[in-house]
């Protein structure tokens, strides 16, 4: 059985994945040459023998890592705690920042190294210059400060006013150059193919040409993650085979239904998006359009949580999604959330049965 690189979600396709629920032996055992490692390591002070026994995976799970900008760094803290409690990651499915974190976890065995590298780079002068380019054009007034799409809109509006780049909106594929995202993926990810990851990995993005979600299981990991993270209209779409990829986070931020395509066993969703915040008013037509989009994504996310056996929601609501300068705080929030929820996660796992999910209207898998 081969992986396809861009199976459209919702319609059969000759290139589509045809995994049936529970058909995971080829994933768990690795690829045909047997060199895939399906676990991450965590730091330990135990003697070598004891450490090896402690790392023996006991409970296999599929992770669905959601989008949410900088808040997605909480994924690292969550996974760190899961590993400490003996959970074994059988597959990772990621969207946007979830695709970046998921790819880092899939290719690098040491989560301590991942966390150290992430914090160091995000606090580096190089990345801080990128963040200034993105959102350093000024702050919004207190009454305009929110934590969702309106926050994004307010900052982009300020950026447009500050830089007078309306001509770029109507003449270029993105308001900001793609080199910003390229630098990030080049720093964090190897120049490798998705199918060579230590842990089976699926990247989710939107294909602007076909108008569908796609799941990427094969091809350049850097290009796939860049495409999944390219905010539409802000960064240029990313060419991937015959597709134009962009972020799908404005309507699909939690890939639980896609993770469910691969297994009828335990799926753990990690949601780092925002809840709806009240507004005083929508003053313009574009604000009304953005608000409706925000509401639609929120209610759709509530529906697709049910595709997971357990959905963990770290409390990142007090942290702005674009502020990467607090990377260490984001990771710690993930640790605390996973630690607090671990009794409930264990209980849900112990009570797990073959998952029966009524996917009549939610099924994203090809037939």
């Amino acid at each position: 059985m081969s992986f396809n690189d861009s199976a459209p979600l919702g319609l059969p396709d000759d290139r589509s994945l045809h995994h049936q629920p529970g058909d995971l032996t080829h994933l768990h055992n690795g690829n045909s040459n047997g060199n895939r490692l399906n676990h991450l390591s965590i730091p330990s002070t135990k003697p070598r023998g004891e450490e090896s026994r402690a790392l023996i995976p006991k409970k296999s799970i599929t992770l669905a890592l959601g989008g949410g900008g900088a808040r997605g760094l909480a994924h690292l803290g969550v996974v760190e705690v899961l590993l400490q409690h003996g959970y074994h990651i059988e597959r990772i499915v990621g969207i946007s920042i979830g695709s970046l974190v998921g790819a880092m976890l899939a290719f690098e065995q040491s989560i301590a190294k991942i966390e150290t590298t992430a914090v160091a780079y995000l606090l580096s002068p190089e990345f801080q210059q990128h963040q200034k380019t993105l959102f350093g054009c000024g702050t919004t007034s207190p009454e305009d400060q929110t934590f969702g799409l309106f926050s994004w809109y307010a900052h982009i509006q300020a950026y447009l006013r500050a830089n007078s780049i309306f001509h770029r909106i109507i003449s270029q594929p993105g308001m900001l150059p793609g080199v910003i995202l390229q630098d990030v993926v080049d720093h964090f990810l190897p120049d490798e193919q998705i199918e060579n990851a230590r842990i089976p990995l699926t990247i989710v993005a939107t294909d602007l040409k076909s108008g569908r979600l796609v799941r990427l299981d094969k091809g350049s990991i850097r290009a796939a993650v860049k495409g999944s993270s390219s905010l539409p209209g802000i960064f240029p779409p990313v060419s991937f085979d015959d597709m134009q990829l962009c972020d799908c986070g404005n309507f699909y931020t939690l890939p639980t239904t896609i993770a469910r395509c691969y297994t009828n066993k335990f799926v753990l969703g990690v949601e780092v998006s925002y809840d709806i915040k009240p507004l005083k008013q929508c003053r313009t037509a574009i604000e009304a359009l953005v608000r409706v989009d925000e509401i639609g994504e929120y209610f759709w996310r509530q529906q697709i949580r049910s595709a997971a056996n357990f959905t963990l929601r770290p409390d990142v609501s007090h942290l702005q999604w674009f502020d990467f300068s607090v990377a260490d705080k984001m990771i710690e929030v993930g640790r605390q959330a996973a630690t607090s929820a671990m009794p409930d996660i264990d209980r849900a796992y112990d009570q797990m049965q073959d998952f029966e999910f009524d996917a009549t209207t939610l099924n994203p898998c090809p037939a």
Side-chain angles (χ1 to χ4, degrees):
M1 185 178 296
S2 61
F3 294 120
N4 79 307
D5 56 343
S6 57
L9 304 180
L11 291 176
D13 190 293
D14 289 339
R15 301 175 302 165
S16 298
L17 288 169
H18 294 283
H19 300 305
Q20 297 300 318
D23 180 20
L24 283 174
T25 54
H26 67 293
L27 300 178
H28 180 76
N29 294 329
N31 56 20
S32 58
N33 60 19
N35 61 3
R36 176 176 285 163
L37 300 177
N38 284 337
H39 68 272
L40 294 161
S41 67
I42 57 177
S44 175
T45 58
K46 296 181 179 180
R48 183 176 300 274
E50 292 184 21
E51 180 177 344
S52 298
R53 289 192 295 272
L55 292 176
I56 295 175
K58 300 176 181 178
K59 303 176 181 180
S60 294
I61 61 175
T62 294
L63 283 180
L65 303 182
R71 296 169 174 175
L73 294 170
H75 291 318
L76 290 173
V78 169
V79 172
E80 178 185 334
V81 173
L82 288 171
L83 295 174
Q84 290 171 344
H85 285 79
Y87 281 89
H88 164 66
I89 301 172
E90 195 161 64
R91 173 174 286 273
I92 300 173
V93 181
I95 284 177
S96 192
I97 187 67
S99 75
L100 176 61
V101 173
M104 293 165 66
L105 293 166
F107 278 92
E108 171 55 54
Q109 188 173 358
S110 169
I111 193 166
K113 181 177 179 181
I114 294 173
E115 293 176 353
T116 300
T117 300
V119 172
Y121 176 71
L122 295 174
L123 296 180
S124 69
E126 178 185 2
F127 183 81
Q128 289 301 306
Q129 183 58 44
H130 285 327
Q131 179 146 316
K132 183 178 180 181
T133 300
L134 284 169
F135 299 108
C137 51
T139 59
T140 55
S141 60
E143 61 269 19
D144 289 331
Q145 289 180 354
T146 65
F147 292 87
L149 288 178
F150 255 71
S151 177
W152 164 82
Y153 169 73
H155 279 77
I156 293 303
Q157 187 179 55
Y159 183 89
L160 294 176
R161 287 196 299 262
N163 294 276
S164 302
I165 58 170
F166 179 75
H167 68 283
R168 186 174 179 86
I169 300 177
I170 61 175
S171 63
Q172 300 295 322
M175 288 188 289
L176 299 176
V179 68
I180 295 177
L181 279 181
Q182 190 65 56
D183 285 349
V184 172
V185 297
D186 287 351
H187 184 87
F188 284 126
L189 302 176
D191 186 11
E192 263 286 5
Q193 302 297 298
I194 301 173
E195 60 268 33
N196 294 333
R198 297 173 179 271
I199 301 172
L201 176 67
T202 299
I203 305 299
V204 182
T206 300
D207 174 25
L208 293 175
K209 288 185 176 181
S210 67
R212 296 175 182 161
L213 288 175
V214 291
R215 44 181 172 150
L216 311 173
D217 301 277
K218 185 177 180 181
S220 167
I221 184 60
R222 289 178 173 177
V225 169
K226 183 181 176 184
S228 181
S229 304
S230 291
L231 289 169
I234 307 303
F235 294 109
V238 174
S239 296
F240 193 100
D241 292 343
D242 59 346
M243 298 177 291
Q244 278 189 311
L245 302 182
C246 71
D247 193 330
C248 54
N250 61 328
F251 67 92
Y252 185 77
T253 60
L254 186 64
T256 51
T257 54
I258 296 179
R260 184 54 64 193
C261 294
Y262 295 95
T263 181
N264 63 353
K265 302 300 182 181
F266 200 86
V267 170
L268 176 66
V270 185
E271 180 182 329
V272 290
S273 296
Y274 49 88
D275 289 335
I276 291 290
K277 302 294 183 182
L279 293 177
K280 290 185 176 180
Q281 62 177 333
C282 288
R283 293 166 295 190
T284 66
I286 189 64
E287 287 184 358
L289 290 172
V290 170
R291 182 62 168 177
V292 169
D293 199 34
E294 181 180 50
I295 294 170
E297 187 281 324
Y298 173 71
F299 282 100
W300 174 241
R301 185 170 9 113
Q302 290 182 307
Q303 298 301 312
I304 60 179
R305 287 174 189 157
S306 62
N309 297 83
F310 191 95
T311 297
L312 181 62
R313 303 179 65 203
D315 183 11
V316 292
S317 60
H318 59 292
L319 301 168
Q320 289 282 13
W321 68 269
F322 50 81
D323 187 4
F324 287 89
S325 67
V326 291
D328 53 344
K329 292 182 180 179
M330 300 284 190
I331 295 172
E332 180 59 28
V333 167
R335 290 192 193 104
Q336 293 176 359
T339 300
S340 298
M342 192 53 60
D344 294 328
I345 296 173
D346 288 339
R347 187 177 305 110
Y349 192 94
D350 292 339
Q351 296 173 352
M352 174 186 62
Q353 298 177 351
D354 286 353
F355 198 88
E356 295 182 3
F357 177 58
D358 183 5
T360 304
T361 58
L362 299 180
N363 182 23
C365 304

